[in-house]
Amino acid sequence: LRWLIAGCIGIFHGLYFALFLDESAYRAKWVLTGAALAELAFMAVAGSLLLAALRGRYRKIPASVLLAAGLGWFVLRLGG
């Protein structure tokens, strides 16, 4: 069942990406490069916070980040 769900989500994501490229003036190379760089930056920040939390330092920082992200998402969902 998981492969079916992953396949459906993958098809939806691919079609959305194709529609985005058709409707915009962006090229796939630059969009994918920007997405990869943003993901690498996010993983670097999240990884450093996780390592600091696992070492016993700054335990409140990851919890605060999760709380802020959750509250921000909640407020956005209420407004939309």
Side-chain angles (χ1 to χ4, degrees):
L1 183 64
R2 288 182 190 173
W3 63 269
L4 183 63
I5 294 171
C8 290
I9 291 172
I11 289 172
F12 176 76
H13 181 72
L15 290 174
Y16 178 79
F17 183 66
L19 180 66
F20 172 76
L21 289 177
D22 282 344
E23 295 295 322
S24 67
Y26 297 120
R27 298 180 66 180
K29 175 176 69 173
W30 295 112
V31 173
L32 292 175
T33 301
L37 289 175
E39 187 173 345
L40 285 173
F42 176 78
M43 287 190 319
V45 170
S48 64
L49 286 174
L50 180 63
L51 282 176
L54 289 176
R55 290 184 183 143
R57 292 183 253 151
Y58 311 115
R59 290 181 187 227
K60 292 183 180 180
I61 292 175
S64 300
V65 169
L66 286 174
L67 176 66
L71 286 174
W73 183 255
F74 178 71
V75 169
L76 284 174
R77 296 297 295 166
L78 280 179

